[in-house]
């Protein structure tokens, strides 16, 4: 993780009278040693010029998706990868609507759609437009997809009306961004371990017992932990997924291997056991492929419970131990039982009888049961990426609260 001074901001300036204030924002970022590349929407160029922006930012200014010269130097995908965050300031009601529909009409919206970074929106518009039900609905959609909103303020507007919709003070916008990075830096001291995916318990060299786990939720959690500053190790059984960038990735096959690698990685500050570890293994796997005519029966034994071992280990126990419970009935009863019996701090439960959030789905809805707390907290239906983001906020807060 870079120091704050090296942070890279991709600033998108949209059309609107407040666009001139983003020049002040660039000046503040530069004064604090942030690097700022800027995209000017077509509308923004009615209010400010690329020359004034590039003079202040000391960087090339990007204006058009089909500017071949710029695309050759840095295409829209590299531009979104380059940034640590993307900040739309000011963002108009029109751009909010485009973003909420996932349109890729110009460079600004294309970059947002291609970005896997945190996107901030600092709106500026007339009070009626801000209070319009459609603007609210569009914003709700964006918030639900992980966008963060800065402001707007209440005050007198350029059009003479008074109310909410005024562009936030550039210093206020800067301090929100600065705190965002500071918060991530505080996570740098924490180590995290995530187990994910299914395991394979071999019967013979070509046959095994496994389950339908895709590993998607665990990979998304590891990705979010890493992006939020945690030094993250992901121990995964076989999946079709690409390991998240920068995460230390350990591939395993069986429950026993997953157990051994987990012990090697401990101690950590937080361990999240999202793997669907096979509960049974073949006691003595065949060394050669079994011939049907010679086969009678298999003797199964229990695998070692990695979560149980870790959470009950005096020296190696992480400060925060999080187990998963995939349930089809009596979610609360079964989750609380697991919480106590496996000595967890949290159990994250989901109802896998609901096919929408089942094993291979991109969506999830979870309930968090916490030690010594009655009831549970619900994180409602959303993509596994957003569920992971929500979980990581809570993990980070918990660790910071407990030193
Ligand atoms: N777990 C583990 N090692 C195992 C089995 C499970 O670490 N050998 C962890 C899982 O990663 C998950 C939690 O324990 O965090 C799930 O508990 P488990 O009792 O296996 O749940 P179920 O398989 O649903 O068990 P049951 O069918 O008995 O409810």
């Amino acid at each position: 993780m870079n120091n704050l001074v090296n942070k890279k901001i991709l600033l998108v300036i949209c059309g609107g009278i407040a666009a001139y204030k983003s020049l002040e924002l660039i000046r503040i970022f530069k004064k604090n040693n942030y690097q700022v590349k800027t995209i000017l929407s077509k509308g923004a160029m009615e209010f400010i010029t690329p020359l004034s922006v590039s003079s202040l930012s000391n960087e090339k200014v990007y204006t058009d998706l089909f500017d071949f010269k710029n695309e050759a130097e840095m295409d829209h995908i590299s531009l979104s990868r380059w940034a640590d965050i993307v900040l739309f300031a000011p963002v108009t009601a029109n751009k909010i609507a485009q973003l909420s529909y996932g349109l890729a009409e110009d460079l600004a919206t294309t970059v947002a759609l291609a970005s896997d970074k945190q996107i901030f929106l600092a709106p500026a518009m007339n009070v009626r437009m801000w209070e319009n039900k459609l603007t609210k609905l569009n914003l709700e959609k964006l918030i639900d997809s992980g966008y963060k909103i800065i402001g707007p303020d209440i005050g007198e507007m350029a059009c003479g009306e008074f109310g909410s919709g005024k562009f936030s003070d550039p210093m206020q916008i800067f301090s929100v961004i600065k705190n965002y990075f500071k918060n991530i830096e505080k996570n740098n001291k924490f180590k995290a371990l995530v187990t994910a995916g299914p395991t394979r318990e071999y019967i013979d060299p070509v046959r095994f017992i496994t389950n339908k786990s895709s590993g998607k939720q665990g990979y998304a959690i590891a990705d979010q932990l890493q992006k939020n500053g945690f030094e993250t190790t992901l121990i995964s059984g076989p999946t079709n997924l690409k390991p998240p960038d920068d995460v230390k990735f350990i591939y395993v096959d069986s429950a026993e291997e997953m157990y051994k690698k987990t012990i090697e990685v401990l101690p950590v500050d937080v361990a999240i056991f999202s793997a669907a570890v096979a509960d049974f293994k073949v006691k003595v796997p065949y060394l050669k492929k079994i011939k049907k005519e010679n086969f009678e029966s298999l003797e199964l034994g229990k695998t070692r419970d990695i979560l149980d071992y870790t959470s009950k280990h005096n020296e190696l126990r992480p400060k925060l131990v999080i187990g998963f419970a995939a349930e089809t009935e009596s979610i609360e009863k079964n989750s609380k039982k697991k919480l106590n019996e496996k000595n967890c701090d949290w159990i994250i439960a989901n109802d896998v009888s609901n096919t929408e959030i089942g094993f291979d789905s991109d969506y999830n809805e979870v309930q968090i049961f916490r030690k010594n707390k009655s009831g549970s907290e619900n994180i409602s239906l959303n993509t596994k990426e957003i569920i992971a983001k929500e979980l990581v906020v809570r993990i980070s807060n918990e660790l910071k609260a407990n030193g």
Side-chain angles (χ1 to χ4, degrees), residues 145-177:
S145 304
Y147 281 64
K148 290 190 194 296
I149 317 297
I150 307 173
D153 278 357
I154 298 171
E156 194 167 337
M157 313 195 165
C159 58
E161 286 194 59
F162 185 91
S164 188
K166 194 177 154 73
F167 190 50
S168 293
D169 186 79
M171 203 56 212
Q172 165 66 14
I173 297 174
F174 170 71
S175 84
V176 171
I177 303 295

Side-chain angles (χ1 to χ4, degrees), residues 268-287:
V268 294
D269 298 284
V270 54
I272 299 127
F273 294 89
S274 73
V277 186
D279 290 319
F280 307 104
K281 63 177 177 185
V282 177
K283 272 198 174 160
V284 187
Y286 288 72
L287 294 175

Side-chain angles (χ1 to χ4, degrees), residues 50-181:
L51 183 62
S52 56
V53 173
S54 66
S55 309
L56 273 170
S57 63
N58 267 326
E59 294 273 354
K60 182 178 281 301
V61 174
Y62 300 80
T63 53
D64 191 346
L65 179 58
F66 299 110
D67 176 341
F68 292 106
K69 191 166 164 283
N70 273 349
E71 278 281 309
E73 284 165 20
M74 186 176 259
D75 62 75
H76 58 281
I77 303 292
S78 329
L79 202 52
S80 64
R81 295 288 170 276
W82 169 86
D84 289 312
I85 61 136
V86 182
L87 168 63
F88 281 70
V91 66
T92 56
N94 183 43
K95 199 56 86 198
I96 287 172
Q98 291 174 353
L99 290 170
S100 78
Y101 280 91
L103 299 182
E105 298 197 314
D106 57 4
L107 183 58
T109 47
T110 307
V111 160
L113 203 60
S115 174
D116 61 348
K117 305 293 163 50
Q118 181 62 57
I119 304 181
F120 292 85
L121 305 179
M125 65 193 75
N126 167 274
V127 57
R128 301 276 163 259
M129 292 168 91
W130 174 250
E131 283 174 358
N132 191 296
K133 198 173 155 196
L134 292 172
T135 304
K136 295 273 175 256
L137 285 172
N138 291 337
L139 266 172
E140 264 170 39
K141 237 168 109 183
L142 290 171
I143 292 168
D144 213 31
S145 304
Y147 281 64
K148 290 190 194 296
I149 317 297
I150 307 173
D153 278 357
I154 298 171
E156 194 167 337
M157 313 195 165
C159 58
E161 286 194 59
F162 185 91
S164 188
K166 194 177 154 73
F167 190 50
S168 293
D169 186 79
M171 203 56 212
Q172 165 66 14
I173 297 174
F174 170 71
S175 84
V176 171
I177 303 295
K178 189 174 156 198
N179 283 340
Y180 169 79
F181 286 126

Side-chain angles (χ1 to χ4, degrees), residues 195-197 255 258 272-280 302-310 322-327 334 337-338 342 344 347-348:
T195 69
M258 191 175 268
I272 299 127
F273 294 89
S274 73
V277 186
D279 290 319
F280 307 104
K302 278 194 175 170
T303 56
R304 203 190 306 246
D305 195 313
I306 310 163
L307 164 59
D308 191 82
Y309 177 87
T310 308
I322 304 176
F324 268 69
E327 306 290 346
N334 290 335
K337 189 164 172 264
K338 254 172 222 167
K342 297 202 182 196
C344 297
I347 281 284
I348 298 171

Side-chain angles (χ1 to χ4, degrees), residues 198-202 237-238 252-259 277 306:
T199 62
R200 284 178 179 170
E201 309 307 323
Y202 278 86
V252 295
D253 238 0
S254 64
E256 190 58 23
E257 248 188 283
M258 191 175 268
Y259 161 78
V277 186
I306 310 163

